[in-house]
Amino acid sequence: MQSKTVGVVIPIYNVQDYLKECLDSVINQTYKNLQVVLVNDGSTDENSLNIAKEYTLKDERFILFDKKNGGHSSAKNVGIEYFNKEYELKNITNDIKENSLIEFDIEGNNEIYKVYKSSKFFKNKDELLNFKTPNIDYIIFLDSDDYWELNCIEECVPRMERANVVWFDFQPEIENNFKKQFQTEMEVLDCKNEEIISTKDWLEICEKKKYLFWFAWQGMIEFKSLLRSKLKFIDKIIHEDHHFGICLFSSIEKIYIYPQKKYHYRVRKNSVSHQNKFHVDKTSYLYDLFQEFRDDIYEFKNYQLAMNWAFTLSHMVDFLSLNNYEKVEKVFLSQVLSKALRVLFLTKDPYNLIEILKIYKNYFLKYQISKEEFIRNSLEYQIGYLILKNNIFNVNEVIKRYNSQVKKNQNYIREFSIQFLEDKHDFDTQKIKKHLSYRLGKFLCKIVLFWRKK
């Protein structure tokens, strides 16, 4: 019996080579009671939108939103908002033609261009005029370059009856040996047993491993729990799953650990998360920021990460303090504060991220934090990194920037009253000092210093 309705949300952006495999894994699920939201986030490739239309046409469970590019988070939020009945769909298509797409728009929403639904769904014009958003029991996210095992939903639904979230494992699909070593989150946290745990248990696991938890697509969520938390993804950042996962797991009671690899996660060099070079189209939400750095991809990526952690810090502090989750704050916030220190090393700050850090400066006084970002932005690490990336021409620029940053950072350390962990307790700093970038750069700096003394 398949009485529970599962809402599936799939953000789509320039994935024409992978999208059919993804959508086939949805259509062919052994559990059939699905409502599937495809969100085309302003794709600029030739076929992503066409493939999404093709699958929406042939499967009446699908609905397709075609929107202005706003990033991964904004696309997933469209799915949450749709299932929460926040949109009033107005049909543009008046007549139902066989084997065609019915078109809708959303009044007052300039971000969403059109919404599409298969004509197969509507038996008559009254049904078209009175189309309503379906009710769902559970929600699950799937990235459009990934895919599910065909029994993924069927295995999750009965387990959801005893928990607010079913958290499953995933299988990394690494293209062209891009990353040779890859541990899944469950492997890192040593979650080997199928069991139900409490939020307290989850916190203890993360605290023991000193692990900055993340969660977005690796599980199913009780929809009413998500709505109760008033939680959405942070727009315009690239690692939105840390904030979402920590805040979600903080606000629920029971977590079902299901350590089976039901999700196939594609690790590819040209994905949004892993690419080193990419073209930012004028239609992209990142275009204005990219222009600020005059096509300097190295500084642009640095700024993206700094923005990611500054926004994560502000949203996480606000969520946790509003809900009095002091224990959660204690476990995770020092790690987020440490990563937010990237802001101190920016060559320029068009979005004024430093002001975000100033708002939360009391937290730097409250928690001891890792020196990780100071090591990552040290002269030794940066020179080693650039040489390994065959970008030797930027070394002189790094040295100039480093010399100008030293005094400024010392002032910031005093202003923010930053308290660092002792080296023996600072796992993140110990780990980064073992990176080849740091060891190579440190060796080269010693040679330069020795040569100057001579």
Side-chain angles (χ1 to χ4, degrees):
M1 187 175 179
Q2 299 188 353
S3 60
K4 299 294 184 181
T5 304
V6 180
V8 181
V9 180
I10 307 175
I12 298 169
Y13 183 71
N14 291 357
V15 284
Q16 60 184 10
D17 294 335
Y18 308 99
L19 186 54
K20 286 189 176 184
E21 184 176 31
C22 170
L23 299 183
D24 283 339
S25 81
V26 177
I27 284 180
N28 295 319
Q29 284 293 303
T30 53
Y31 193 93
K32 299 300 181 184
N33 190 6
L34 309 178
Q35 293 293 327
V36 184
V37 177
L38 307 182
V39 185
N40 180 55
D41 189 37
S43 292
T44 56
D45 63 359
E46 187 175 353
N47 282 318
S48 285
L49 179 57
N50 290 333
I51 293 169
K53 285 183 176 180
E54 174 192 335
Y55 277 74
T56 302
L57 179 61
K58 70 183 181 181
D59 195 317
E60 63 183 54
R61 297 173 298 174
F62 283 53
I63 189 167
L64 167 63
F65 288 74
D66 183 26
K67 67 182 283 292
K68 180 179 179 181
N69 180 257
H72 214 57
S73 291
S74 72
K76 285 185 283 197
N77 285 338
V78 165
I80 295 172
E81 290 158 6
Y82 169 70
F83 284 128
N84 195 31
K85 307 181 189 302
E86 296 178 36
Y87 299 141
E88 191 69 41
L89 271 62
K90 179 182 178 183
N91 61 296
I92 301 171
T93 309
N94 290 319
D95 296 320
I96 302 173
K97 295 180 181 179
E98 188 177 350
N99 201 32
S100 65
L101 285 173
I102 303 294
E103 297 182 5
F104 300 83
D105 67 10
I106 301 174
E107 290 185 358
N109 190 317
N110 297 322
E111 301 292 310
I112 298 173
Y113 304 133
K114 277 185 183 176
V115 183
Y116 300 92
K117 186 80 176 167
S118 175
S119 60
K120 296 177 185 177
F121 181 82
F122 305 100
K123 294 184 178 65
N124 52 54
K125 195 167 182 178
D126 283 343
E127 284 194 2
L128 172 60
L129 294 174
N130 294 294
F131 174 61
K132 301 293 182 185
T133 304
N135 296 317
I136 63 168
D137 299 288
Y138 311 129
I139 190 168
I140 189 168
F141 300 94
L142 171 62
D143 282 358
S144 49
D145 53 352
D146 302 333
Y147 60 97
W148 284 326
E149 289 286 307
L150 296 185
N151 66 348
C152 177
I153 304 298
E154 184 176 24
E155 294 295 335
C156 287
V157 168
R159 290 170 170 84
M160 282 297 307
E161 294 178 5
R162 292 184 280 161
N164 307 106
V165 166
V166 169
W167 171 29
F168 50 66
D169 205 358
F170 62 92
Q171 175 63 47
E173 303 291 346
I174 302 172
E175 292 191 346
N176 302 318
N177 293 319
F178 171 47
K179 284 191 173 186
K180 292 184 180 179
Q181 293 183 338
F182 198 111
Q183 275 190 301
T184 71
E185 190 169 40
M186 282 194 176
E187 289 167 349
V188 172
L189 295 174
D190 200 26
C191 296
K192 297 176 180 177
N193 300 320
E194 182 169 350
E195 59 182 334
I196 296 174
I197 63 171
S198 66
T199 298
K200 182 182 177 183
D201 298 328
W202 161 74
L203 276 174
E204 288 174 356
I205 293 169
C206 294
E207 185 174 30
K208 180 181 177 181
K209 294 288 185 177
K210 295 182 171 57
Y211 185 76
L212 188 56
F213 185 76
W214 59 278
F215 179 94
W217 41 256
Q218 65 272 46
M220 187 177 286
I221 307 164
E222 184 182 45
F223 193 53
K224 66 181 180 182
S225 292
L226 181 62
L227 297 184
R228 194 161 48 237
S229 70
K230 299 180 181 178
L231 185 62
K232 290 184 182 177
F233 293 92
I234 305 172
D235 279 345
K236 299 182 179 179
I237 67 172
I238 53 177
H239 296 302
E240 70 281 356
D241 38 17
H242 289 290
H243 161 262
F244 183 83
I246 290 170
C247 293
L248 174 67
F249 276 50
S250 303
S251 61
I252 59 179
E253 295 178 359
K254 294 181 180 179
I255 302 149
Y256 196 114
I257 297 180
Y258 181 40
Q260 299 295 318
K261 296 180 185 293
K262 293 298 175 185
Y263 190 104
H264 291 261
Y265 171 61
R266 202 183 305 272
V267 184
R268 55 190 178 95
K269 205 165 189 175
N270 62 339
S271 70
V272 173
S273 300
H274 297 112
Q275 57 199 351
N276 290 320
K277 293 183 179 180
F278 60 91
H279 170 69
V280 177
D281 190 87
K282 285 187 177 181
T283 61
S284 170
Y285 77 99
L286 291 169
Y287 182 75
D288 290 340
L289 180 62
F290 193 56
Q291 292 304 302
E292 285 280 349
F293 290 92
R294 298 183 180 180
D295 301 343
D296 185 338
I297 190 68
Y298 180 76
E299 289 301 323
F300 172 70
K301 294 288 280 185
N302 273 344
Y303 198 84
Q304 263 196 301
L305 276 171
M307 185 169 71
N308 177 89
W309 292 114
F311 287 179
T312 297
L313 172 64
S314 65
H315 282 75
M316 193 176 292
V317 168
D318 292 350
F319 183 90
L320 297 178
S321 58
L322 181 66
N323 293 285
N324 295 316
Y325 296 143
E326 292 183 14
K327 176 63 175 176
V328 183
E329 180 186 295
K330 182 182 176 184
V331 172
F332 296 112
L333 207 59
S334 63
Q335 297 177 72
V336 177
L337 287 163
S338 173
K339 292 183 180 298
L341 289 178
R342 275 183 173 267
V343 173
L344 305 185
F345 298 93
L346 298 171
T347 54
K348 56 181 176 179
D349 188 8
Y351 290 169
N352 209 10
L353 300 178
I354 191 65
E355 291 303 316
I356 295 177
L357 264 63
K358 288 179 179 178
I359 291 171
Y360 300 100
K361 63 188 293 185
N362 287 341
Y363 287 89
F364 288 98
L365 182 61
K366 186 175 180 180
Y367 295 104
Q368 290 184 316
I369 62 175
S370 170
K371 296 177 186 174
E372 176 191 2
E373 288 304 324
F374 280 86
I375 301 298
R376 192 184 297 278
N377 286 280
S378 67
L379 182 61
E380 293 90 343
Y381 190 95
Q382 291 296 311
I383 286 176
Y385 175 82
L386 287 171
I387 288 174
L388 289 173
K389 289 285 185 181
N390 299 316
N391 203 353
I392 300 171
F393 300 107
N394 277 345
V395 168
N396 285 334
E397 187 62 37
V398 166
I399 293 171
K400 287 180 188 176
R401 188 174 75 240
Y402 176 79
N403 289 334
S404 66
Q405 286 282 355
V406 169
K407 188 174 181 180
K408 185 169 77 170
N409 287 336
Q410 289 173 342
N411 291 334
Y412 277 134
I413 289 171
R414 286 192 293 269
E415 180 184 353
F416 286 92
S417 303
I418 295 174
Q419 302 180 88
F420 292 115
L421 287 163
E422 295 178 42
D423 285 348
K424 63 181 179 181
H425 299 306
D426 192 350
F427 173 78
D428 291 328
T429 297
Q430 291 173 23
K431 185 177 177 181
I432 201 169
K433 282 184 175 181
K434 294 176 183 177
H435 287 191
L436 183 56
S437 297
Y438 181 76
R439 289 187 284 122
L440 176 62
K442 187 176 181 180
F443 175 73
L444 292 172
C445 287
K446 282 183 178 179
I447 290 177
V448 171
L449 186 62
F450 175 77
W451 186 261
R452 284 179 177 174
K453 284 182 178 179
K454 287 186 68 176

